[in-house]
Amino acid sequence: MFYRPKDGHGLPHDPFKAIVVPRPIGWVSTVSAAGHVNLAPYSFFNGCGDRPPLVMFSQTGRKHSEEAIKDTIANVRETAEFACNIVSHSLAEHMNISTGVYAPHEDEFEHAGLTKAPGREIDVPHVAEAPAVLECKVVRVLDDLPSNDPAHPNIMVIGEVVGVHIEDTHLVDGLLDPTRFHPVARMGYLDYTTVTESWKMLRPK
């Protein structure tokens, strides 16, 4: 089949997110200027540079119609810091709990039964149980991405990684081995997947 997104796909559900898979999950923790902590997963997340290391995450839409903007975006605007916590298979259910609709003053760490660990380079706590964490300072917030619905804006946040936490047990001969903690990635619809194997490919000479 072929379709133009502007004309619709004619399928029961939009296949776009099922095509761009698997998508790593940036489990983003932030703090508001008033000190309220927020934790939310974003599957529009990836690295976007390495010298210096840069990551991006992007919101699309809102959880509910009364929400003017997601708490994560509001917080990074106020404090310009965030942490990306990597989701291991053992943390999948905790991550899912943090997707719930909570008031800005409610703490997703507490709802999900997670431990806060203090940042080293930023004043934002991260998930102590996470296998790896990237502490970031905001480089840019892009508000002008195209959107078909002004009430559901697409907003991208780019951050510079200024601190990295890695659980030592996942390092093997000096290399980080993701198959030891099985990172969770987002598929399409309500589906997820887990990294359980890897292989090498040598580049042509």
Side-chain angles (χ1 to χ4, degrees), residues 37-76:
V37 177
N38 183 265
L39 178 66
Y42 288 81
S43 68
F44 288 134
F45 160 74
N46 220 313
C48 57
D50 64 355
R51 295 183 184 181
L54 302 172
V55 294
M56 60 71 61
F57 70 92
S58 180
Q59 82 152 38
T60 176
R62 300 174 296 176
K63 286 184 180 178
H64 56 88
S65 60
E66 288 134 21
E67 183 180 56
I69 195 167
K70 289 185 177 179
D71 295 336
T72 301
I73 301 298
N75 290 352
V76 297

PDB file of all heavy atoms in Angstrom, residues 37-76:
ATOM      1  N   VAL A  37       8.992  17.373  41.528  1.00  0.00           N
ATOM      2  CA  VAL A  37       9.699  16.418  40.677  1.00  0.00           C
ATOM      3  C   VAL A  37       8.706  15.730  39.746  1.00  0.00           C
ATOM      4  O   VAL A  37       7.580  15.411  40.127  1.00  0.00           O
ATOM      5  CB  VAL A  37      10.425  15.364  41.535  1.00  0.00           C
ATOM      6  CG1 VAL A  37      11.099  14.310  40.655  1.00  0.00           C
ATOM      7  CG2 VAL A  37      11.460  16.037  42.427  1.00  0.00           C
ATOM      8  N   ASN A  38       9.147  15.513  38.500  1.00  0.00           N
ATOM      9  CA  ASN A  38       8.317  14.828  37.510  1.00  0.00           C
ATOM     10  C   ASN A  38       9.139  13.732  36.845  1.00  0.00           C
ATOM     11  O   ASN A  38      10.344  13.875  36.657  1.00  0.00           O
ATOM     12  CB  ASN A  38       7.802  15.825  36.461  1.00  0.00           C
ATOM     13  CG  ASN A  38       6.878  15.168  35.456  1.00  0.00           C
ATOM     14  OD1 ASN A  38       7.308  14.766  34.384  1.00  0.00           O
ATOM     15  ND2 ASN A  38       5.608  15.050  35.806  1.00  0.00           N
ATOM     16  N   LEU A  39       8.475  12.643  36.474  1.00  0.00           N
ATOM     17  CA  LEU A  39       9.130  11.540  35.779  1.00  0.00           C
ATOM     18  C   LEU A  39       8.181  11.025  34.711  1.00  0.00           C
ATOM     19  O   LEU A  39       7.050  10.631  35.017  1.00  0.00           O
ATOM     20  CB  LEU A  39       9.483  10.420  36.764  1.00  0.00           C
ATOM     21  CG  LEU A  39      10.141   9.168  36.179  1.00  0.00           C
ATOM     22  CD1 LEU A  39      11.528   9.498  35.633  1.00  0.00           C
ATOM     23  CD2 LEU A  39      10.240   8.080  37.251  1.00  0.00           C
ATOM     24  N   ALA A  40       8.611  11.035  33.444  1.00  0.00           N
ATOM     25  CA  ALA A  40       7.733  10.637  32.342  1.00  0.00           C
ATOM     26  C   ALA A  40       8.563  10.026  31.209  1.00  0.00           C
ATOM     27  O   ALA A  40       9.645  10.521  30.896  1.00  0.00           O
ATOM     28  CB  ALA A  40       6.954  11.844  31.825  1.00  0.00           C
ATOM     29  N   PRO A  41       8.049   8.954  30.576  1.00  0.00           N
ATOM     30  CA  PRO A  41       8.782   8.326  29.472  1.00  0.00           C
ATOM     31  C   PRO A  41       8.448   8.948  28.120  1.00  0.00           C
ATOM     32  O   PRO A  41       7.303   9.302  27.852  1.00  0.00           O
ATOM     33  CB  PRO A  41       8.295   6.870  29.533  1.00  0.00           C
ATOM     34  CG  PRO A  41       6.902   6.966  30.072  1.00  0.00           C
ATOM     35  CD  PRO A  41       6.866   8.170  30.982  1.00  0.00           C
ATOM     36  N   TYR A  42       9.484   9.053  27.286  1.00  0.00           N
ATOM     37  CA  TYR A  42       9.326   9.586  25.930  1.00  0.00           C
ATOM     38  C   TYR A  42       9.972   8.612  24.949  1.00  0.00           C
ATOM     39  O   TYR A  42      11.163   8.333  25.048  1.00  0.00           O
ATOM     40  CB  TYR A  42       9.992  10.962  25.808  1.00  0.00           C
ATOM     41  CG  TYR A  42       9.238  12.054  26.526  1.00  0.00           C
ATOM     42  CD1 TYR A  42       9.385  12.227  27.897  1.00  0.00           C
ATOM     43  CD2 TYR A  42       8.375  12.889  25.836  1.00  0.00           C
ATOM     44  CE1 TYR A  42       8.682  13.218  28.567  1.00  0.00           C
ATOM     45  CE2 TYR A  42       7.668  13.882  26.502  1.00  0.00           C
ATOM     46  CZ  TYR A  42       7.823  14.035  27.866  1.00  0.00           C
ATOM     47  OH  TYR A  42       7.121  15.008  28.525  1.00  0.00           O
ATOM     48  N   SER A  43       9.180   8.127  23.984  1.00  0.00           N
ATOM     49  CA  SER A  43       9.755   7.206  23.002  1.00  0.00           C
ATOM     50  C   SER A  43      10.256   7.927  21.765  1.00  0.00           C
ATOM     51  O   SER A  43      10.916   7.310  20.926  1.00  0.00           O
ATOM     52  CB  SER A  43       8.734   6.133  22.600  1.00  0.00           C
ATOM     53  OG  SER A  43       7.665   6.698  21.874  1.00  0.00           O
ATOM     54  N   PHE A  44       9.965   9.222  21.636  1.00  0.00           N
ATOM     55  CA  PHE A  44      10.663  10.028  20.639  1.00  0.00           C
ATOM     56  C   PHE A  44      11.915  10.554  21.343  1.00  0.00           C
ATOM     57  O   PHE A  44      11.960  11.683  21.828  1.00  0.00           O
ATOM     58  CB  PHE A  44       9.790  11.172  20.124  1.00  0.00           C
ATOM     59  CG  PHE A  44       8.677  10.708  19.224  1.00  0.00           C
ATOM     60  CD1 PHE A  44       7.394  11.179  19.390  1.00  0.00           C
ATOM     61  CD2 PHE A  44       8.917   9.800  18.209  1.00  0.00           C
ATOM     62  CE1 PHE A  44       6.361  10.759  18.560  1.00  0.00           C
ATOM     63  CE2 PHE A  44       7.893   9.373  17.373  1.00  0.00           C
ATOM     64  CZ  PHE A  44       6.617   9.847  17.552  1.00  0.00           C
ATOM     65  N   PHE A  45      12.922   9.685  21.400  1.00  0.00           N
ATOM     66  CA  PHE A  45      14.133   9.954  22.174  1.00  0.00           C
ATOM     67  C   PHE A  45      15.312   9.308  21.465  1.00  0.00           C
ATOM     68  O   PHE A  45      15.208   8.180  20.972  1.00  0.00           O
ATOM     69  CB  PHE A  45      13.996   9.385  23.586  1.00  0.00           C
ATOM     70  CG  PHE A  45      15.312   9.190  24.305  1.00  0.00           C
ATOM     71  CD1 PHE A  45      16.012  10.285  24.793  1.00  0.00           C
ATOM     72  CD2 PHE A  45      15.841   7.918  24.485  1.00  0.00           C
ATOM     73  CE1 PHE A  45      17.233  10.108  25.450  1.00  0.00           C
ATOM     74  CE2 PHE A  45      17.055   7.738  25.135  1.00  0.00           C
ATOM     75  CZ  PHE A  45      17.748   8.840  25.622  1.00  0.00           C
ATOM     76  N   ASN A  46      16.430  10.006  21.423  1.00  0.00           N
ATOM     77  CA  ASN A  46      17.624   9.406  20.835  1.00  0.00           C
ATOM     78  C   ASN A  46      18.827  10.317  21.041  1.00  0.00           C
ATOM     79  O   ASN A  46      18.678  11.471  21.437  1.00  0.00           O
ATOM     80  CB  ASN A  46      17.439   9.141  19.335  1.00  0.00           C
ATOM     81  CG  ASN A  46      18.047   7.819  18.917  1.00  0.00           C
ATOM     82  OD1 ASN A  46      19.173   7.515  19.276  1.00  0.00           O
ATOM     83  ND2 ASN A  46      17.296   7.030  18.149  1.00  0.00           N
ATOM     84  N   GLY A  47      20.005   9.775  20.757  1.00  0.00           N
ATOM     85  CA  GLY A  47      21.193  10.603  20.693  1.00  0.00           C
ATOM     86  C   GLY A  47      21.184  11.382  19.394  1.00  0.00           C
ATOM     87  O   GLY A  47      20.670  10.918  18.374  1.00  0.00           O
ATOM     88  N   CYS A  48      21.746  12.581  19.416  1.00  0.00           N
ATOM     89  CA  CYS A  48      21.772  13.386  18.183  1.00  0.00           C
ATOM     90  C   CYS A  48      23.114  14.089  17.998  1.00  0.00           C
ATOM     91  O   CYS A  48      23.223  15.037  17.234  1.00  0.00           O
ATOM     92  CB  CYS A  48      20.621  14.390  18.155  1.00  0.00           C
ATOM     93  SG  CYS A  48      20.537  15.523  19.542  1.00  0.00           S
ATOM     94  N   GLY A  49      24.141  13.615  18.685  1.00  0.00           N
ATOM     95  CA  GLY A  49      25.485  14.165  18.550  1.00  0.00           C
ATOM     96  C   GLY A  49      26.392  13.500  19.567  1.00  0.00           C
ATOM     97  O   GLY A  49      25.908  12.952  20.558  1.00  0.00           O
ATOM     98  N   ASP A  50      27.716  13.536  19.319  1.00  0.00           N
ATOM     99  CA  ASP A  50      28.612  12.889  20.283  1.00  0.00           C
ATOM    100  C   ASP A  50      29.812  13.720  20.702  1.00  0.00           C
ATOM    101  O   ASP A  50      30.565  13.308  21.577  1.00  0.00           O
ATOM    102  CB  ASP A  50      29.058  11.519  19.765  1.00  0.00           C
ATOM    103  CG  ASP A  50      29.890  11.592  18.498  1.00  0.00           C
ATOM    104  OD1 ASP A  50      30.061  12.690  17.951  1.00  0.00           O
ATOM    105  OD2 ASP A  50      30.367  10.523  18.050  1.00  0.00           O
ATOM    106  N   ARG A  51      30.036  14.898  20.118  1.00  0.00           N
ATOM    107  CA  ARG A  51      31.156  15.747  20.525  1.00  0.00           C
ATOM    108  C   ARG A  51      30.714  17.200  20.590  1.00  0.00           C
ATOM    109  O   ARG A  51      30.909  17.939  19.620  1.00  0.00           O
ATOM    110  CB  ARG A  51      32.331  15.584  19.537  1.00  0.00           C
ATOM    111  CG  ARG A  51      32.933  14.197  19.524  1.00  0.00           C
ATOM    112  CD  ARG A  51      34.118  14.120  18.604  1.00  0.00           C
ATOM    113  NE  ARG A  51      34.640  12.771  18.532  1.00  0.00           N
ATOM    114  CZ  ARG A  51      35.697  12.416  17.813  1.00  0.00           C
ATOM    115  NH1 ARG A  51      36.339  13.334  17.076  1.00  0.00           N
ATOM    116  NH2 ARG A  51      36.107  11.173  17.774  1.00  0.00           N
ATOM    117  N   PRO A  52      30.066  17.612  21.656  1.00  0.00           N
ATOM    118  CA  PRO A  52      29.787  16.868  22.887  1.00  0.00           C
ATOM    119  C   PRO A  52      28.594  15.936  22.708  1.00  0.00           C
ATOM    120  O   PRO A  52      27.836  16.073  21.744  1.00  0.00           O
ATOM    121  CB  PRO A  52      29.450  18.001  23.883  1.00  0.00           C
ATOM    122  CG  PRO A  52      28.774  19.026  23.031  1.00  0.00           C
ATOM    123  CD  PRO A  52      29.530  18.997  21.729  1.00  0.00           C
ATOM    124  N   PRO A  53      28.407  15.003  23.637  1.00  0.00           N
ATOM    125  CA  PRO A  53      27.248  14.117  23.523  1.00  0.00           C
ATOM    126  C   PRO A  53      25.944  14.899  23.694  1.00  0.00           C
ATOM    127  O   PRO A  53      25.798  15.686  24.637  1.00  0.00           O
ATOM    128  CB  PRO A  53      27.448  13.106  24.655  1.00  0.00           C
ATOM    129  CG  PRO A  53      28.388  13.768  25.609  1.00  0.00           C
ATOM    130  CD  PRO A  53      29.258  14.668  24.792  1.00  0.00           C
ATOM    131  N   LEU A  54      25.027  14.700  22.765  1.00  0.00           N
ATOM    132  CA  LEU A  54      23.735  15.373  22.780  1.00  0.00           C
ATOM    133  C   LEU A  54      22.627  14.342  22.679  1.00  0.00           C
ATOM    134  O   LEU A  54      22.769  13.330  21.991  1.00  0.00           O
ATOM    135  CB  LEU A  54      23.608  16.343  21.597  1.00  0.00           C
ATOM    136  CG  LEU A  54      24.648  17.460  21.467  1.00  0.00           C
ATOM    137  CD1 LEU A  54      24.469  18.169  20.129  1.00  0.00           C
ATOM    138  CD2 LEU A  54      24.537  18.451  22.619  1.00  0.00           C
ATOM    139  N   VAL A  55      21.525  14.610  23.360  1.00  0.00           N
ATOM    140  CA  VAL A  55      20.330  13.782  23.231  1.00  0.00           C
ATOM    141  C   VAL A  55      19.132  14.679  22.972  1.00  0.00           C
ATOM    142  O   VAL A  55      19.160  15.881  23.258  1.00  0.00           O
ATOM    143  CB  VAL A  55      20.068  12.922  24.485  1.00  0.00           C
ATOM    144  CG1 VAL A  55      21.158  11.892  24.685  1.00  0.00           C
ATOM    145  CG2 VAL A  55      19.902  13.791  25.733  1.00  0.00           C
ATOM    146  N   MET A  56      18.088  14.091  22.402  1.00  0.00           N
ATOM    147  CA  MET A  56      16.851  14.817  22.189  1.00  0.00           C
ATOM    148  C   MET A  56      15.678  13.964  22.644  1.00  0.00           C
ATOM    149  O   MET A  56      15.750  12.747  22.655  1.00  0.00           O
ATOM    150  CB  MET A  56      16.665  15.177  20.709  1.00  0.00           C
ATOM    151  CG  MET A  56      16.614  14.010  19.723  1.00  0.00           C
ATOM    152  SD  MET A  56      15.138  12.942  19.743  1.00  0.00           S
ATOM    153  CE  MET A  56      13.872  14.129  19.328  1.00  0.00           C
ATOM    154  N   PHE A  57      14.626  14.639  23.089  1.00  0.00           N
ATOM    155  CA  PHE A  57      13.345  13.966  23.261  1.00  0.00           C
ATOM    156  C   PHE A  57      12.274  14.939  22.801  1.00  0.00           C
ATOM    157  O   PHE A  57      12.479  16.156  22.778  1.00  0.00           O
ATOM    158  CB  PHE A  57      13.114  13.500  24.705  1.00  0.00           C
ATOM    159  CG  PHE A  57      12.878  14.605  25.708  1.00  0.00           C
ATOM    160  CD1 PHE A  57      11.591  15.039  26.000  1.00  0.00           C
ATOM    161  CD2 PHE A  57      13.944  15.191  26.370  1.00  0.00           C
ATOM    162  CE1 PHE A  57      11.365  16.044  26.933  1.00  0.00           C
ATOM    163  CE2 PHE A  57      13.730  16.202  27.306  1.00  0.00           C
ATOM    164  CZ  PHE A  57      12.440  16.621  27.584  1.00  0.00           C
ATOM    165  N   SER A  58      11.155  14.394  22.398  1.00  0.00           N
ATOM    166  CA  SER A  58      10.114  15.232  21.825  1.00  0.00           C
ATOM    167  C   SER A  58       8.753  14.815  22.341  1.00  0.00           C
ATOM    168  O   SER A  58       8.441  13.624  22.419  1.00  0.00           O
ATOM    169  CB  SER A  58      10.155  15.125  20.293  1.00  0.00           C
ATOM    170  OG  SER A  58       9.152  15.921  19.708  1.00  0.00           O
ATOM    171  N   GLN A  59       7.961  15.795  22.711  1.00  0.00           N
ATOM    172  CA  GLN A  59       6.578  15.523  23.087  1.00  0.00           C
ATOM    173  C   GLN A  59       5.704  15.660  21.848  1.00  0.00           C
ATOM    174  O   GLN A  59       5.986  16.423  20.935  1.00  0.00           O
ATOM    175  CB  GLN A  59       6.088  16.495  24.147  1.00  0.00           C
ATOM    176  CG  GLN A  59       5.628  17.854  23.609  1.00  0.00           C
ATOM    177  CD  GLN A  59       4.561  18.498  24.489  1.00  0.00           C
ATOM    178  OE1 GLN A  59       4.615  18.405  25.697  1.00  0.00           O
ATOM    179  NE2 GLN A  59       3.612  19.164  23.884  1.00  0.00           N
ATOM    180  N   THR A  60       4.653  14.878  21.819  1.00  0.00           N
ATOM    181  CA  THR A  60       3.654  15.020  20.773  1.00  0.00           C
ATOM    182  C   THR A  60       2.296  14.921  21.436  1.00  0.00           C
ATOM    183  O   THR A  60       1.972  13.928  22.070  1.00  0.00           O
ATOM    184  CB  THR A  60       3.820  13.962  19.662  1.00  0.00           C
ATOM    185  OG1 THR A  60       2.769  14.098  18.713  1.00  0.00           O
ATOM    186  CG2 THR A  60       3.836  12.556  20.205  1.00  0.00           C
ATOM    187  N   GLY A  61       1.525  15.975  21.363  1.00  0.00           N
ATOM    188  CA  GLY A  61       0.206  15.976  21.988  1.00  0.00           C
ATOM    189  C   GLY A  61       0.264  16.183  23.489  1.00  0.00           C
ATOM    190  O   GLY A  61       1.278  16.573  24.062  1.00  0.00           O
ATOM    191  N   ARG A  62      -0.863  15.863  24.124  1.00  0.00           N
ATOM    192  CA  ARG A  62      -1.001  16.001  25.568  1.00  0.00           C
ATOM    193  C   ARG A  62      -1.731  14.788  26.117  1.00  0.00           C
ATOM    194  O   ARG A  62      -2.397  14.066  25.383  1.00  0.00           O
ATOM    195  CB  ARG A  62      -1.800  17.274  25.897  1.00  0.00           C
ATOM    196  CG  ARG A  62      -1.162  18.558  25.396  1.00  0.00           C
ATOM    197  CD  ARG A  62      -2.070  19.748  25.619  1.00  0.00           C
ATOM    198  NE  ARG A  62      -3.297  19.632  24.838  1.00  0.00           N
ATOM    199  CZ  ARG A  62      -4.304  20.494  24.906  1.00  0.00           C
ATOM    200  NH1 ARG A  62      -4.241  21.519  25.724  1.00  0.00           N
ATOM    201  NH2 ARG A  62      -5.382  20.333  24.170  1.00  0.00           N
ATOM    202  N   LYS A  63      -1.613  14.555  27.425  1.00  0.00           N
ATOM    203  CA  LYS A  63      -2.295  13.413  28.026  1.00  0.00           C
ATOM    204  C   LYS A  63      -3.798  13.619  28.105  1.00  0.00           C
ATOM    205  O   LYS A  63      -4.573  12.689  27.969  1.00  0.00           O
ATOM    206  CB  LYS A  63      -1.746  13.146  29.435  1.00  0.00           C
ATOM    207  CG  LYS A  63      -0.370  12.504  29.450  1.00  0.00           C
ATOM    208  CD  LYS A  63       0.032  12.198  30.876  1.00  0.00           C
ATOM    209  CE  LYS A  63       1.411  11.565  30.913  1.00  0.00           C
ATOM    210  NZ  LYS A  63       1.861  11.296  32.289  1.00  0.00           N
ATOM    211  N   HIS A  64      -4.208  14.859  28.355  1.00  0.00           N
ATOM    212  CA  HIS A  64      -5.641  15.131  28.451  1.00  0.00           C
ATOM    213  C   HIS A  64      -5.894  16.574  28.024  1.00  0.00           C
ATOM    214  O   HIS A  64      -4.970  17.400  27.989  1.00  0.00           O
ATOM    215  CB  HIS A  64      -6.171  14.874  29.866  1.00  0.00           C
ATOM    216  CG  HIS A  64      -5.447  15.644  30.935  1.00  0.00           C
ATOM    217  ND1 HIS A  64      -5.807  16.904  31.324  1.00  0.00           N
ATOM    218  CD2 HIS A  64      -4.370  15.307  31.685  1.00  0.00           C
ATOM    219  CE1 HIS A  64      -4.991  17.326  32.276  1.00  0.00           C
ATOM    220  NE2 HIS A  64      -4.118  16.397  32.509  1.00  0.00           N
ATOM    221  N   SER A  65      -7.133  16.874  27.711  1.00  0.00           N
ATOM    222  CA  SER A  65      -7.472  18.155  27.087  1.00  0.00           C
ATOM    223  C   SER A  65      -7.252  19.352  27.997  1.00  0.00           C
ATOM    224  O   SER A  65      -7.082  20.465  27.532  1.00  0.00           O
ATOM    225  CB  SER A  65      -8.936  18.131  26.620  1.00  0.00           C
ATOM    226  OG  SER A  65      -9.800  17.916  27.718  1.00  0.00           O
ATOM    227  N   GLU A  66      -7.256  19.137  29.332  1.00  0.00           N
ATOM    228  CA  GLU A  66      -7.077  20.292  30.219  1.00  0.00           C
ATOM    229  C   GLU A  66      -5.621  20.644  30.449  1.00  0.00           C
ATOM    230  O   GLU A  66      -5.320  21.651  31.066  1.00  0.00           O
ATOM    231  CB  GLU A  66      -7.718  19.989  31.574  1.00  0.00           C
ATOM    232  CG  GLU A  66      -9.221  20.015  31.471  1.00  0.00           C
ATOM    233  CD  GLU A  66      -9.844  18.834  32.151  1.00  0.00           C
ATOM    234  OE1 GLU A  66      -9.190  18.234  33.004  1.00  0.00           O
ATOM    235  OE2 GLU A  66     -10.969  18.525  31.802  1.00  0.00           O
ATOM    236  N   GLU A  67      -4.727  19.809  29.980  1.00  0.00           N
ATOM    237  CA  GLU A  67      -3.301  20.037  30.196  1.00  0.00           C
ATOM    238  C   GLU A  67      -2.792  21.038  29.152  1.00  0.00           C
ATOM    239  O   GLU A  67      -2.790  20.752  27.961  1.00  0.00           O
ATOM    240  CB  GLU A  67      -2.557  18.702  30.072  1.00  0.00           C
ATOM    241  CG  GLU A  67      -1.077  18.785  30.346  1.00  0.00           C
ATOM    242  CD  GLU A  67      -0.427  17.419  30.199  1.00  0.00           C
ATOM    243  OE1 GLU A  67      -0.559  16.797  29.140  1.00  0.00           O
ATOM    244  OE2 GLU A  67       0.229  16.987  31.163  1.00  0.00           O
ATOM    245  N   ALA A  68      -2.366  22.213  29.602  1.00  0.00           N
ATOM    246  CA  ALA A  68      -1.881  23.224  28.665  1.00  0.00           C
ATOM    247  C   ALA A  68      -0.596  22.768  27.998  1.00  0.00           C
ATOM    248  O   ALA A  68      -0.399  22.956  26.800  1.00  0.00           O
ATOM    249  CB  ALA A  68      -1.666  24.543  29.393  1.00  0.00           C
ATOM    250  N   ILE A  69       0.290  22.164  28.777  1.00  0.00           N
ATOM    251  CA  ILE A  69       1.564  21.657  28.255  1.00  0.00           C
ATOM    252  C   ILE A  69       2.042  20.588  29.235  1.00  0.00           C
ATOM    253  O   ILE A  69       1.707  20.624  30.420  1.00  0.00           O
ATOM    254  CB  ILE A  69       2.598  22.789  28.122  1.00  0.00           C
ATOM    255  CG1 ILE A  69       3.766  22.365  27.263  1.00  0.00           C
ATOM    256  CG2 ILE A  69       3.064  23.278  29.479  1.00  0.00           C
ATOM    257  CD1 ILE A  69       4.650  23.511  26.827  1.00  0.00           C
ATOM    258  N   LYS A  70       2.799  19.627  28.743  1.00  0.00           N
ATOM    259  CA  LYS A  70       3.261  18.561  29.621  1.00  0.00           C
ATOM    260  C   LYS A  70       4.201  19.110  30.691  1.00  0.00           C
ATOM    261  O   LYS A  70       4.965  20.034  30.458  1.00  0.00           O
ATOM    262  CB  LYS A  70       3.952  17.468  28.802  1.00  0.00           C
ATOM    263  CG  LYS A  70       2.976  16.661  27.954  1.00  0.00           C
ATOM    264  CD  LYS A  70       3.664  15.511  27.253  1.00  0.00           C
ATOM    265  CE  LYS A  70       2.648  14.681  26.484  1.00  0.00           C
ATOM    266  NZ  LYS A  70       3.263  13.549  25.752  1.00  0.00           N
ATOM    267  N   ASP A  71       4.119  18.508  31.888  1.00  0.00           N
ATOM    268  CA  ASP A  71       4.933  18.975  33.015  1.00  0.00           C
ATOM    269  C   ASP A  71       6.416  18.957  32.679  1.00  0.00           C
ATOM    270  O   ASP A  71       7.165  19.846  33.087  1.00  0.00           O
ATOM    271  CB  ASP A  71       4.675  18.100  34.248  1.00  0.00           C
ATOM    272  CG  ASP A  71       3.250  18.228  34.767  1.00  0.00           C
ATOM    273  OD1 ASP A  71       2.621  19.268  34.511  1.00  0.00           O
ATOM    274  OD2 ASP A  71       2.772  17.292  35.429  1.00  0.00           O
ATOM    275  N   THR A  72       6.854  17.934  31.948  1.00  0.00           N
ATOM    276  CA  THR A  72       8.277  17.841  31.598  1.00  0.00           C
ATOM    277  C   THR A  72       8.739  19.074  30.837  1.00  0.00           C
ATOM    278  O   THR A  72       9.788  19.661  31.143  1.00  0.00           O
ATOM    279  CB  THR A  72       8.546  16.589  30.742  1.00  0.00           C
ATOM    280  OG1 THR A  72       8.138  15.427  31.469  1.00  0.00           O
ATOM    281  CG2 THR A  72      10.019  16.477  30.373  1.00  0.00           C
ATOM    282  N   ILE A  73       7.958  19.473  29.828  1.00  0.00           N
ATOM    283  CA  ILE A  73       8.329  20.634  29.020  1.00  0.00           C
ATOM    284  C   ILE A  73       8.308  21.900  29.873  1.00  0.00           C
ATOM    285  O   ILE A  73       9.206  22.747  29.788  1.00  0.00           O
ATOM    286  CB  ILE A  73       7.389  20.785  27.813  1.00  0.00           C
ATOM    287  CG1 ILE A  73       7.439  19.533  26.931  1.00  0.00           C
ATOM    288  CG2 ILE A  73       7.752  22.024  27.006  1.00  0.00           C
ATOM    289  CD1 ILE A  73       8.788  19.246  26.331  1.00  0.00           C
ATOM    290  N   ALA A  74       7.275  22.042  30.684  1.00  0.00           N
ATOM    291  CA  ALA A  74       7.196  23.216  31.562  1.00  0.00           C
ATOM    292  C   ALA A  74       8.415  23.281  32.488  1.00  0.00           C
ATOM    293  O   ALA A  74       8.993  24.347  32.706  1.00  0.00           O
ATOM    294  CB  ALA A  74       5.909  23.174  32.381  1.00  0.00           C
ATOM    295  N   ASN A  75       8.829  22.131  33.009  1.00  0.00           N
ATOM    296  CA  ASN A  75       9.952  22.104  33.949  1.00  0.00           C
ATOM    297  C   ASN A  75      11.279  22.440  33.272  1.00  0.00           C
ATOM    298  O   ASN A  75      12.096  23.184  33.834  1.00  0.00           O
ATOM    299  CB  ASN A  75      10.045  20.727  34.608  1.00  0.00           C
ATOM    300  CG  ASN A  75       8.906  20.476  35.577  1.00  0.00           C
ATOM    301  OD1 ASN A  75       8.121  21.368  35.878  1.00  0.00           O
ATOM    302  ND2 ASN A  75       8.798  19.249  36.060  1.00  0.00           N
ATOM    303  N   VAL A  76      11.522  21.887  32.074  1.00  0.00           N
ATOM    304  CA  VAL A  76      12.814  22.194  31.431  1.00  0.00           C
ATOM    305  C   VAL A  76      12.883  23.656  31.013  1.00  0.00           C
ATOM    306  O   VAL A  76      13.978  24.234  30.950  1.00  0.00           O
ATOM    307  CB  VAL A  76      13.103  21.275  30.221  1.00  0.00           C
ATOM    308  CG1 VAL A  76      13.222  19.828  30.658  1.00  0.00           C
ATOM    309  CG2 VAL A  76      12.079  21.432  29.120  1.00  0.00           C
TER     310      VAL A  76
END
